[in-house]
Amino acid sequence: MRKAWFMWGLGALCYLTALFHRMSLSVAGLTAQERFSIDATGLAAFSVVQMVLYAALQVPVGAGADRFGPRRLLLAGMALMAAGSTVFALATAYPLAMTGRALIGAGDAFLFVNVVRLAHNWFPGRRFALVSALTGMIGGLGQLIATAPLTALLRSFGWTTSFLAAGIVTAVLLVVVALLLRESPHREVAPVVTSEPLRESLRHAWKNRGTRHAMWTHFTLMGTFVSFTAVLGQPYLVSAQGRTPGGASALLTVVVIGFVLVSTAAGQIGSRRPDLRGTLVATAAAVSTLCWVVLVAVPGPLPQVVLAPVLFLIGAAGGVSMLAFDLARTSNHGHRGGIASGIANMGGFSFAVVAELGVGVLIDVLGGDALAHRLAFGVVLVLAVAGTFRLFRLHGHAGVRPQKVLEPVA
């Protein structure tokens, strides 16, 4: 079991790196606007392109994890992110910077599903919910590094040095993983053997109610979390809430701390009481949606004693989204596990693509002032309400009972 934790730890470090790269623009958003002379729509486009690629690649990556094993795909993802961070560091023009973020988004897409698949190879099923949640927690630590520490690094060393250092660290970890990571305890390559055509695997996974429940869980809970932390949270906190850039970075840290703390607790609950997963997900969705009502409807600046707990709860709801992958796994046969996880993972990032683009466009259309930043976040609120409604319907029909765990089919 010690070796299993070591192998998962290597994969989790890759995921930590991916979350750092994904979150890095959240504290560098205002600097990016100055460096590339772009408005809020242009800033949001960075995140949109990154997330479109991420979401679009989830099902192909999940299928690859099932058929080829996670090791090679993890290495490919790390290579893309290292290249993307290097391009982004050296870019002085917007199109080249966009190329860098696109490479980061494509590389990021390879990480989580394959770390989950690695956990599936190394751990017994009863530990899967906990290990998935711990993976989310490790990713949250990457997001923490991309808040206040990255802000300090940017302030001390500047844009090029900071992002180039991130690319170099990613390349070093790539080499370490290539040397040490093993696919499974049994053999180097551990694909799930199946004669089922990919189209049939995808169709059966999508028709499964548990897969759809997992997707809407991720859509609602991870979608709201990513929409705030990816790129537009800092401009909102500065413009709509009157915080300094340093204060905004500290508040983004509060969101991520909520994610880190609750993801592990949610995983423990999912492992011990799978019958409570549906209730926990529905409750988290309702709480997160109410928090977004506060952010959109209440004129700012909100007092710190109100704003900080609201942001913590949005992060906490994001932590509960880690249960999506346990919901996907326990309702699908093993040879469809990667595809089901990929479908679930598409949910939150599809949400974020629509939200980021919609918010960025509305900010510019409404004039870019404090009121515009607040009202534009209504796009996130509308999507959150829709997702919460869908989760309550799914919970009412099937989420109250634990779904039977289906074992891998050879």
Side-chain angles (χ1 to χ4, degrees):
M1 187 56 67
R2 185 177 301 174
K3 190 173 183 180
W5 283 111
F6 176 76
M7 294 301 168
W8 166 81
L10 287 175
L13 279 176
C14 294
Y15 185 57
L16 181 150
T17 306
L19 267 289
F20 170 86
H21 286 297
R22 187 192 303 170
M23 180 79 173
S24 60
L25 202 55
S26 66
V27 297
L30 296 176
T31 306
Q33 285 185 288
E34 295 175 3
R35 182 178 177 89
F36 303 115
S37 301
I38 54 176
D39 56 15
T41 302
L43 181 62
F46 275 134
S47 183
V48 168
V49 168
Q50 193 172 329
M51 290 179 189
V52 164
L53 284 167
Y54 184 98
L57 286 170
Q58 286 310 294
V59 171
V61 167
D66 288 338
R67 284 159 171 75
F68 306 117
R71 182 177 178 274
R72 282 178 284 182
L73 277 73
L74 284 172
L75 294 175
M78 294 294 284
L80 286 169
M81 289 194 301
S85 185
T86 301
V87 171
F88 194 59
L90 300 175
T92 56
Y94 185 64
L96 188 59
M98 183 64 78
T99 301
R101 296 310 292 186
L103 288 170
I104 288 171
D108 186 4
F110 283 75
L111 271 295
F112 185 78
V113 169
N114 282 288
V115 177
V116 168
R117 187 73 218 184
L118 193 69
H120 181 275
N121 289 352
W122 281 93
F123 289 94
R126 68 181 183 276
R127 290 182 179 266
F128 188 82
L130 176 60
V131 177
S132 294
L134 287 172
T135 304
M137 184 198 74
I138 294 297
L141 295 178
Q143 292 179 304
L144 283 176
I145 297 170
T147 53
L150 180 59
T151 300
L153 196 65
L154 285 165
R155 188 180 300 117
S156 300
F157 297 100
W159 181 281
T160 300
T161 300
S162 299
F163 285 106
L164 192 57
I168 292 170
V169 170
T170 304
V172 170
L173 182 57
L174 165 65
V175 174
V176 172
V177 170
L179 292 174
L180 298 179
L181 185 66
R182 297 294 176 265
E183 206 77 66
S184 82
H186 306 297
R187 54 188 180 274
E188 176 63 20
V189 179
V192 178
V193 179
T194 176
S195 59
E196 184 176 70
L198 177 59
R199 181 180 299 179
E200 285 299 301
S201 296
L202 181 59
R203 184 175 68 86
H204 284 295
W206 175 251
K207 286 177 65 177
N208 188 295
R209 180 183 291 272
T211 304
R212 296 198 304 275
H213 192 190
M215 187 198 72
W216 283 105
T217 294
H218 202 262
F219 178 92
T220 308
L221 301 180
M222 181 59 77
T224 50
F225 172 73
V226 171
S227 294
F228 194 88
T229 57
V231 67
L232 293 174
Q234 188 196 36
Y236 166 85
L237 291 169
V238 171
S239 297
Q241 296 298 334
R243 267 47 178 193
T244 64
S249 296
L251 286 168
L252 284 167
T253 303
V254 170
V255 185
V256 178
I257 288 173
F259 180 95
V260 170
L261 294 179
V262 174
S263 60
T264 307
Q268 290 175 328
I269 293 172
S271 293
R272 297 173 183 176
R273 292 290 306 275
D275 56 307
L276 294 180
R277 292 176 302 182
T279 300
L280 184 58
V281 164
T283 302
V287 170
S288 178
T289 300
L290 288 174
C291 290
W292 279 94
V293 169
V294 173
L295 294 182
V296 174
V298 180
L302 295 170
Q304 195 83 344
V305 293
V306 174
L307 185 57
V310 164
L311 296 181
F312 179 88
L313 289 172
I314 289 173
V320 176
S321 74
M322 291 294 101
L323 289 176
F325 303 99
D326 192 48
L327 289 167
R329 183 193 69 86
T330 57
S331 54
N332 285 274
H333 286 285
H335 66 284
R336 301 182 193 129
I339 291 176
S341 293
I343 291 172
N345 211 21
M346 283 178 64
F349 297 96
S350 299
F351 181 119
V353 165
V354 176
E356 294 280 351
L357 186 58
V359 170
V361 170
L362 271 180
I363 288 172
D364 290 333
V365 169
L366 296 174
D369 58 7
L371 180 62
H373 277 82
R374 179 166 62 85
L375 294 181
F377 266 40
V379 175
V380 181
L381 178 58
V382 169
L383 291 172
V385 169
T388 300
F389 174 76
R390 186 62 181 151
L391 279 175
F392 270 87
R393 289 198 63 183
L394 285 165
H395 177 55
H397 286 300
V400 293
R401 296 193 302 271
Q403 294 156 328
K404 182 180 178 181
V405 177
L406 299 176
E407 295 300 328
V409 176

